C-alpha cells in the first residue's frame, strides 16, 4: 500500500490527498477528513453545483482503472503482477479533468471508488456490499456498474447478486422519502467488449435480466406493483480491452467522459435514448449542499453501520440543524466583532455612571444585522426549509436580543442626555435673559429648546430603525421622552414662577415701604387733615389711618397681582398655578405689610411720631402759627388738651381697625381660600396668618393687634414723660421770656 494515501487519523495536507480521500476505511470507520478534502478541492463552497458518482462491480474488474482514465484520478489499481485486492473501503476523489474528447465536463464531479466484492477476499460476507450500496444510493446521482462483456446474460452471475442488493436497498431507502423519490442512473460499463455483439443487443439482454430481477425481489408493502423504471434510468456503454486495444480503450473512455455533463429529459420520457445532453439530470441530485456533504455522509454512514433504518428525510433535517447551527455561529463571529466593542463601551459608560450616546450605532447595528442574516441565508437556505426557517428565526432572535439591549441603552443615554441638555439650555437662556434686564420670553425659550431637543432624540431613534423590523420602532420611547421634557418644563416653569413671585414680592415691599411710611409720617403732623373736632380728639387723618393703609395696601396688591398674572400667562402657566401664585402673593404681601407696620411702630419710631404729633398740637395754634409762651398763657390747659389728643392715638394705633366697620379688615376674603392646586412645598415658606389659618391658634384679633397691652402702657408712660419734658421746657421759656 502506498505510504502517502490519506487514511483515517492522518493529518490532512494538500499532499496527503493524492489518491483522493478514504471516506470509509476497511474497518467501516468514517473519515472525518472528508470535509477538509472538499474544502481543499474548493467543492465545499459550490452549493449544489457538484455531482457524485459511485462505481460498483466485482473485485478486479478494472473499476479503479476505469475511473482513473475517465476522471484523471489516482485511485489505487491492482498491480498486474500481484493479484490481490487493492481498493479498501470507499475512496473519493474529485474529477481532475475539465474536458473530455473536446467537451467541457461538468464542474465538481466527485467519484467514489467502492471496494468490490466477489466473495473471494471478503469471504461470503455480503454485509459490506449491502452497506456500501446503501451509502452510494443515498448520496450518488449515478451508479457506474462495471461488468465484463462475457458476464452479460449470465443471470446467476455475481453481478446479479450485487444488483439485487442495490434494488432491495433502494426500495428500503426511498420508502420513507415518498415526496422526493430521487431517481438514480444505473450506468452499465461493459468491459472487454469484443465488438461482435453490438451494444444494443447487450443492452436488450441486460434490460431483460434487470426486469426479471426486479420482479423477483421482495418488495415492501405498498410497493408490490412498483416498476423498475419508477426508480432508475439506465445507461450503457461498452469499452474495448484495455490491454489488447490500449489506444482504442483510451479514446473510447474519453468519449464516455464527454457524457459527464448536465443533461435533461426529453418530453418526460424515462428511457436513456431520450436523455438529451449529458448524464447529469437535475432529478438525480440528492440536494445536499456541498458544505454539508461530509456531515450528511457521516450521519448516513453511522445509521447504516449501526443497522438502523435509514431515514433520509430525518437525516436531512439533522444535517440542516447541524449546519444551520454551524453557519449561525460563523456569521455571529462577524456580528460580534462589530457589536461586542460597542456593548463593552456602553457597559463601561453605565458603570462609570455617565451613559453615553454611541456614534453611528444605528448604521453599525443594522449593517451587521443585515450582513449576518444575509450570509446565513446564502449558505443555510440550501438546507431543509423548515429547519432553515426555524434556525433563521433563532439567529434573528439572538441578534435582536443583543441589538435590543444595545439600542435600549442608547435611547436611555439619549434620554438622559436630552433631559439634562434641555434643562441646562433653558436655565442658561433664562440667566442670560435676566442678565440682559429680564427681557426674555420663558415660554418661547422652553418651546424652542424642547423642539431642538426632541429633534435630536428623534434623529437618534430614527437612526436605529431597521426597515421591516417592528421592534426598532421607538415611537413609544419618543413619546416618553417628550412627556419627560414636559415634566421638566413644568418644573422649570415652577421655578420661573417662583422667581417671578420673588420679583413681584420685592416690588410690593418697596411700594409698601414708601406708601405706608408716608401714611405714618402724616401722624407726625397733629394738624394734618381738616377736621379737628374736639369730640373725636383726633383728626380725620388719624381716625382713618388704617382705612388709608388698607386701601393703599389693597391697591398695591391688586396691581402686583395684575403684573404677576400677565407675566405668568406669558409662559403658559396654568390657571391653577396662577391661582396658587396670586394666593401666595396676597399672603406674602400681608405679611410684608405687617412687617412694615411693625417697623413703623417700633419704640423709637412711634415715640418720635407721637412727640411730633403732640408738639404740633402744643406748639402751634389753630392757625398753625407757632406759639410764643407768655406767663399768662394757659400752658397747662393747652398741654393737657394736646397730650390727651395725642394719647388717644395710642389705642388707635394699637389695632388695625377700619373706621368704616370698627373691625379688622376682612383678611379671610382678601386672601381667599387655599386653592386646590397648592402642592407640598408651596406652603413651606408661608408664615401663618391669624384668623386666616385658623388651626394655627392665632385669631384675626391677634393678627391685627399692632401694639400689645404692655407695649401700649409702656408707650403711654414714655410719651407722657416726653410730653412732660416739652411742657417743662415751655413753662421755662414762658418765665424766661418774662425775666428777659
Ligand atoms: P478493480 O479492483 O475493479 O478496481 O480493478 P483494477 O482497476 O485494480 O484492475 C484490476 C486488474 O485488471 C489490473 O491488473 C488491471 O491492469 C486490469 N485491467 C484494468 N482494466 C482492464 C481492462 O479493461 N481489461 C482487462 N482485461 N484488464 C483490465
Ligand atoms: Mg479498485
Amino acid at each position: 500500500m502506498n505510504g502517502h494515501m490519506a487514511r483515517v487519523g492522518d493529518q490532512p495536507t494538500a499532499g496527503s490527498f493524492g489518491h483522493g480521500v478514504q471516506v470509509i476505511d476497511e474497518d467501516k470507520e468514517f473519515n472525518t477528513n472528508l470535509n477538509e478534502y472538499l474544502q481543499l478541492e474548493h467543492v465545499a463552497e459550490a452549493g449544489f453545483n457538484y455531482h457524485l458518482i459511485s462505481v460498483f462491480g466485482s473485485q478486479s474488474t478494472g473499476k479503479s482503472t476505469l475511473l482513473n482514465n475517465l476522471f484523471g484520478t489516482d485511485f489505487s489499481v491492482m498491480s498486474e503482477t500481484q493479484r490481490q485486492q487493492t481498493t479498501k473501503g470507499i475512496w473519493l476523489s474529485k474529477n481532475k479533468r475539465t474536458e473530455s474528447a473536446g467537451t467541457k465536463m461538468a464542474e465538481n464531479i466527485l467519484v467514489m471508488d467502492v471496494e468490490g466484492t466477489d466473495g473471494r477476499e471478503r469471504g461470503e460476507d455480503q454485509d459490506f456490499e449491502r452497506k456500501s450500496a446503501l451509502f452510494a444510493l443515498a448520496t450518488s446521482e449515478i451508479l457506474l456498474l462495471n461488468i465484463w462483456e462475457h458476464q452479460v446474460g449470465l443471470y446467476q452471475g455475481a453481478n446479479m447478486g450485487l444488483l439485487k442488493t442495490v434494488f432491495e436497498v433502494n426500495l428500503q431507502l426511498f420508502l420513507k422519502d415518498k415526496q422526493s423519490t430521487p431517481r438514480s442512473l444505473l450506468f452499465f460499463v461493459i468491459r472487454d467488449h469484443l465488438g461482435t455483439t453490438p451494444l444494443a443487443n447487450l443492452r436488450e439482454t441486460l434490460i431483460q435480466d434487470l426486469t426479471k430481477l426486479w420482479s423477483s425481489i421482495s418488495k415492501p408493502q405498498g410497493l408490490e406493483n412498483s416498476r423498475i423504471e419508477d426508480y432508475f434510468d439506465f445507461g450503457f456503454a461498452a469499452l474495448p480491452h484495455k490491454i489488447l486495444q490500449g489506444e482504442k480503450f483510451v479514446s473510447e473512455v474519453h468519449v464516455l467522459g464527454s457524457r459527464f455533463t448536465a443533461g435533461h429529459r426529453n418530453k418526460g420520457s424515462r428511457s436513456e435514448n431520450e436523455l438529451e445532453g449529458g448524464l447529469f439530470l437535475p432529478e438525480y441530485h440528492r440536494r445536499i449542499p456541498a458544505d454539508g456533504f461530509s456531515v450528511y455522509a457521516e450521519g448516513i454512514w453511522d445509521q447504516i453501520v449501526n443497522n438502523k433504518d435509514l431515514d433520509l428525510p430525518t437525516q436531512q433535517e439533522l444535517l440542516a440543524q447541524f449546519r444551520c447551527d454551524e453557519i449561525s455561529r460563523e456569521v455571529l463571529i462577524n456580528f460580534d466583532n462589530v457589536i461586542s466593542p460597542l456593548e463593552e463601551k456602553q457597559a463601561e459608560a453605565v458603570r462609570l455612571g455617565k451613559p453615553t450616546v454611541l456614534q453611528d450605532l444605528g448604521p453599525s447595528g443594522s449593517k451587521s444585522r443585515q450582513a449576518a442574516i444575509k450570509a446565513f441565508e446564502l449558505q443555510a437556505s440550501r438546507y431543509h426549509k423548515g429547519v432553515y426557517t426555524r434556525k433563521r428565526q433563532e439567529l434573528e432572535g439572538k441578534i435582536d436580543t443583543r441589538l435590543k439591549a444595545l439600542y435600549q441603552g442608547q435611547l436611555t443615554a439619549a434620554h438622559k442626555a436630552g433631559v439634562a441638555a434641555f434643562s441646562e439650555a433653558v436655565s442658561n437662556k433664562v440667566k442670560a435673559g435676566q442678565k440682559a434686564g429680564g427681557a426674555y420670553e420663558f415660554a418661547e425659550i422652553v418651546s424652542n429648546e424642547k423642539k431642538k431637543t426632541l429633534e435630536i432624540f428623534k434623529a437618534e431613534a430614527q437612526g436605529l430603525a431597521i426597515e421591516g423590523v417592528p421592534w426598532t420602532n421607538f415611537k413609544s420611547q419618543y413619546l416618553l421622552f417628550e412627556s419627560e421634557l414636559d415634566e421638566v418644563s413644568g418644573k422649570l416653569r415652577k421655578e420661573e414662577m417662583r422667581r417671578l413671585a420673588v420679583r413681584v414680592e420685592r416690588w410690593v415691599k418697596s411700594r409698601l415701604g414708601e406708601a405706608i411710611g408716608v401714611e405714618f409720617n402724616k401722624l407726625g403732623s397733629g394738624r394734618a387733615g381738616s377736621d379737628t373736632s374736639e369730640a373725636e380728639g383726633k383728626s380725620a387723618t388719624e381716625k382713618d389711618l388704617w382705612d388709608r393703609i388698607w386701601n393703599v395696601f389693597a391697591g398695591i396688591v391688586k396691581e402686583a397681582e395684575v403684573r404677576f398674572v400677565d407675566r405668568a400667562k406669558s409662559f403658559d402657566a396654568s390657571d391653577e398655578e396662577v391661582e396658587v401664585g396670586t394666593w401666595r402673593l396676597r399672603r406674602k404681601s400681608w405679611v410684608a405689610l405687617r412687617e412694615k407696620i411693625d417697623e413703623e411702630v417700633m419704640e423709637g419710631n412711634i415715640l418720635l411720631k407721637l412727640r411730633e404729633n403732640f408738639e404740633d398740637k402744643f406748639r402751634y395754634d389753630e392757625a398753625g402759627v407757632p406759639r410764643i409762651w407768655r406767663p399768662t398763657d394757659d400752658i397747662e390747659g393747652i398741654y393737657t388738651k394736646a397730650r390727651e389728643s395725642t394719647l388717644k392715638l395710642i389705642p388707635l394705633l394699637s389695632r388695625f381697625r377700619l373706621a368704616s366697620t370698627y373691625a379688622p379688615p376682612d383678611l379671610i376674603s382678601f386672601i381667599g381660600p387655599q386653592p386646590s392646586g397648592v402642592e407640598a412645598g408651596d406652603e413651606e415658606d408661608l408664615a401663618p396668618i391669624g384668623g386666616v389659618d385658623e388651626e394655627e391658634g392665632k385669631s384675626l384679633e391677634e393678627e391685627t393687634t399692632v401694639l400689645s397691652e404692655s407695649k401700649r402702657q409702656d408707650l403711654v408712660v414714655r410719651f407722657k414723660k416726653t410730653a412732660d419734658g416739652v411742657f417743662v421746657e415751655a413753662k421755662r421759656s414762658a418765665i424766661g421770656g418774662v425775666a428777659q
Side-chain angles (χ1 to χ4, degrees):
M1 204 156 302
N2 264 316
H4 58 275
M5 288 193 296
R7 301 289 308 273
V8 174
D10 283 357
Q11 283 303 313
T13 62
S16 55
F17 291 119
H19 296 267
V21 60
Q22 191 177 29
V23 182
I24 310 292
D25 72 6
E26 61 265 43
D27 299 322
K28 298 179 189 165
E29 290 287 332
F30 188 87
N31 184 352
T32 48
N33 284 346
L34 173 57
N35 198 44
E36 213 84 33
Y37 178 74
L38 295 179
Q39 279 173 345
L40 275 172
E41 295 286 358
H42 302 290
V43 178
E45 65 229 36
F48 294 124
N49 183 26
Y50 74 99
H51 299 282
L52 204 71
I53 298 172
S54 293
V55 71
F56 275 91
S58 303
Q59 185 66 45
S60 302
T61 48
K63 296 187 299 291
S64 301
T65 305
L66 170 67
L67 295 181
N68 289 346
N69 279 274
L70 265 177
F71 302 111
T73 51
D74 192 19
F75 292 119
S76 297
V77 172
M78 178 193 278
S79 95
E80 309 206 349
T81 48
Q82 306 156 272
R83 306 280 300 170
Q84 65 171 61
Q85 183 184 320
T86 52
T87 303
K88 299 260 189 189
I90 301 174
W91 284 74
L92 179 143
S93 177
K94 186 184 167 182
N95 175 24
K96 298 288 187 288
R97 296 196 197 287
T98 50
E99 55 111 49
S100 195
T103 302
K104 199 172 172 291
M105 296 175 86
E107 288 175 289
N108 301 317
I109 299 174
L110 300 172
V111 196
M112 290 209 288
D113 190 6
V114 183
E115 175 188 348
T117 49
D118 58 2
R120 203 162 52 222
E121 283 90 350
R122 284 238 151 184
E124 297 307 316
D125 180 20
Q126 301 287 298
D127 185 55
F128 185 78
E129 182 180 80
R130 194 177 174 82
K131 285 186 162 128
S132 54
L134 206 43
F135 182 69
L137 277 169
T139 54
S140 311
E141 294 156 67
I142 299 175
L143 264 60
L144 290 179
L145 288 155
N146 195 51
I147 55 170
W148 299 121
E149 183 185 8
H150 61 76
Q151 287 179 309
V152 177
L154 294 179
Y155 181 65
Q156 300 307 327
N159 292 300
M160 286 303 153
L162 172 67
L163 279 170
K164 196 169 180 230
T165 303
V166 168
F167 291 161
E168 283 170 358
V169 152
N170 191 74
L171 281 175
Q172 174 197 335
L173 189 57
F174 299 117
L175 186 61
K176 296 226 167 100
D177 195 4
K178 295 213 177 71
Q179 306 108 309
S180 55
T181 326
R183 299 174 64 79
S184 314
L185 175 66
L186 289 186
F187 195 92
F188 289 85
V189 181
I190 300 158
R191 307 291 293 270
D192 287 5
H193 185 225
L194 297 172
T196 45
T197 313
L199 177 60
N201 293 9
L202 295 169
R203 200 179 100 181
E204 279 314 304
T205 311
L206 278 170
I207 286 178
Q208 276 171 27
D209 285 355
L210 290 170
T211 313
K212 211 158 36 156
L213 184 65
W214 182 263
S215 61
S216 78
I217 60 164
S218 58
K219 300 175 190 72
Q221 228 188 342
L223 297 176
E224 296 90 347
N225 298 322
S226 59
R227 296 167 311 151
I228 192 168
E229 299 88 4
D230 295 338
Y231 300 97
F232 296 103
D233 288 328
F234 295 101
F236 302 90
L239 293 174
H241 196 294
K242 189 209 167 214
I243 296 146
L244 300 181
Q245 295 176 273
E247 266 178 50
K248 194 159 182 254
F249 174 83
V250 169
S251 66
E252 294 282 304
V253 164
H254 285 172
V255 171
L256 176 56
S258 70
R259 298 177 68 184
F260 289 91
T261 58
H264 59 272
R265 188 180 298 285
N266 195 4
K267 294 177 218 114
S269 164
R270 287 180 173 176
S271 140
E272 186 225 355
N273 284 340
E274 280 146 294
L275 293 188
E276 291 197 342
L279 299 176
F280 292 122
L281 262 55
E283 63 205 86
Y284 300 153
H285 206 286
R286 297 302 187 248
R287 309 299 295 171
I288 305 301
D291 57 3
F293 179 74
S294 167
V295 173
Y296 177 70
E298 186 175 2
I300 295 279
W301 183 254
D302 181 68
Q303 298 283 300
I304 293 172
V305 102
N306 292 306
N307 294 311
K308 287 184 190 150
D309 271 351
L310 194 50
D311 177 351
L312 293 187
T314 302
Q315 285 302 313
Q316 285 171 13
E317 271 187 48
L318 289 174
L319 168 70
Q321 282 170 23
F322 180 87
R323 278 297 295 149
C324 286
D325 285 342
E326 226 172 36
I327 296 164
S328 186
R329 276 195 296 275
E330 276 165 31
V331 304
L332 278 174
I333 290 172
N334 288 332
F335 178 79
D336 262 341
N337 286 340
V338 178
I339 298 306
S340 293
L342 294 171
E343 288 170 334
E344 278 158 31
K345 214 166 161 186
Q346 189 179 74
E348 179 67 12
V350 169
R351 229 185 344 266
L352 294 174
K354 9 181 183 176
T356 310
V357 178
L358 302 168
Q359 280 285 295
D360 296 327
L361 178 61
S364 303
S366 104
K367 232 188 271 163
S368 329
R369 185 185 189 276
Q370 294 306 90
I373 291 168
K374 270 268 160 296
F376 181 81
E377 187 183 289
L378 187 72
Q379 298 181 68
S381 65
R382 294 186 184 120
Y383 290 92
H384 186 276
K385 275 281 161 295
V387 175
Y388 159 70
T389 309
R390 201 175 70 238
K391 293 289 176 183
R392 186 194 156 114
Q393 281 163 0
E394 274 177 30
L395 175 68
E396 283 182 10
K398 275 182 195 162
I399 287 174
D400 287 353
T401 303
R402 301 267 300 273
L403 288 186
K404 249 184 220 171
L406 204 49
Y407 286 11
Q408 288 296 351
Q410 178 87 335
L411 289 180
T412 302
H415 184 111
K416 282 189 181 154
V419 167
F422 171 72
S423 54
E424 196 184 309
V426 171
S427 302
N428 285 343
K429 292 254 157 76
V430 166
K431 260 181 225 157
Q434 282 169 336
K435 237 183 218 167
Y440 64 92
E441 281 305 325
F442 181 78
E444 209 173 282
I445 292 173
V446 167
S447 97
N448 284 345
E449 290 307 320
K450 183 182 162 186
K451 211 171 130 198
K452 241 191 260 171
T453 317
L454 276 177
E455 281 304 321
I456 294 170
F457 188 90
K458 195 176 183 178
E460 189 55 51
Q462 283 177 342
L464 297 179
I466 301 172
E467 222 189 289
V469 185
W471 69 262
T472 60
N473 181 321
F474 296 111
K475 179 102 189 161
S476 65
Q477 280 86 341
Y478 175 81
L479 294 176
L480 198 77
F481 179 65
E482 185 173 20
S483 78
E484 177 144 357
L485 285 192
D486 287 340
E487 215 171 279
V488 171
S489 303
K491 274 186 200 141
L492 292 171
R493 193 175 58 232
K494 214 162 213 169
E495 283 169 24
E496 182 62 14
M497 287 278 276
R498 284 290 161 97
R499 280 193 290 271
L500 170 63
V502 167
R503 282 203 303 278
V504 175
E505 282 159 20
R506 222 182 276 142
W507 179 83
V508 167
K509 267 189 191 159
S510 110
R511 286 292 311 275
L512 283 179
E514 254 173 64
I516 304 304
V518 167
E519 292 306 329
F520 272 93
N521 284 343
K522 284 180 187 166
L523 286 179
S525 150
R527 296 158 296 107
S530 48
D531 181 16
T532 53
S533 108
E534 294 297 308
E536 288 301 319
K538 50 187 189 281
S539 67
T541 312
E542 290 158 2
K543 198 181 77 187
D544 58 11
L545 170 74
W546 295 116
D547 295 76
R548 277 179 289 111
I549 287 179
W550 179 254
N551 286 339
V552 162
F553 167 72
I556 290 171
V557 173
K558 184 105 257 126
E559 204 182 330
E561 273 190 52
V562 170
R563 282 167 173 244
F564 181 86
V565 172
D566 278 356
R567 187 76 177 145
K569 289 275 182 200
S570 86
F571 48 76
D572 296 338
S574 66
D575 289 348
E576 209 171 53
E577 285 170 323
V578 168
E579 212 187 324
V580 173
T582 51
W583 177 75
R584 283 173 51 86
L585 178 64
R586 286 191 296 271
R587 292 187 61 114
K588 289 215 153 192
S589 298
W590 167 254
V591 171
L593 176 64
R594 279 295 283 115
E595 280 168 6
K596 180 62 190 165
I597 292 171
D598 284 343
E599 189 192 312
E600 291 292 337
V601 299
M602 251 164 41
E603 241 170 81
N605 291 348
I606 196 66
L607 200 59
L608 199 69
K609 297 260 155 60
L610 291 178
R611 185 190 160 125
E612 280 172 7
N613 182 278
F614 163 74
E615 285 191 351
D616 216 34
K617 287 168 180 161
F618 180 61
R619 283 192 178 158
Y620 297 85
D621 65 14
E622 272 77 30
V625 179
R627 288 189 169 104
I628 307 292
W629 299 111
R630 280 173 293 259
T632 51
D633 285 341
D634 179 17
I635 300 178
E636 283 86 351
I638 294 169
Y639 160 71
T640 308
K641 205 176 136 196
R643 192 190 67 177
E644 289 314 306
S645 170
T646 299
L647 271 174
K648 275 185 182 146
L649 278 179
I650 294 178
L652 176 84
L653 282 169
S654 298
R655 287 177 196 283
F656 198 132
R657 284 266 163 84
L658 299 180
S660 43
T661 56
Y662 299 105
D666 187 357
L667 269 186
I668 296 173
S669 305
F670 173 77
I671 286 167
Q674 173 171 318
S676 53
V678 172
E679 289 169 23
D682 275 338
E683 288 177 287
E684 254 169 30
D685 57 340
L686 296 181
I689 299 173
V692 175
D693 305 313
E694 278 153 31
E695 66 276 21
E696 300 294 337
K698 199 171 153 198
S699 64
L700 183 60
E701 201 56 47
E702 285 166 285
E703 180 68 29
T704 51
T705 296
V706 177
L707 293 170
S708 65
E709 190 54 40
S710 64
K711 277 210 174 128
R712 233 164 89 177
Q713 284 172 12
D714 188 52
L715 194 59
V716 168
V717 172
R718 283 161 159 272
F719 168 67
K720 275 183 176 164
K721 273 186 192 156
T722 309
D724 287 352
V726 174
F727 170 73
V728 169
E729 199 185 304
K731 225 20 185 183
R732 271 200 202 120
S733 81
I735 298 159
V738 171
Q740 272 172 3

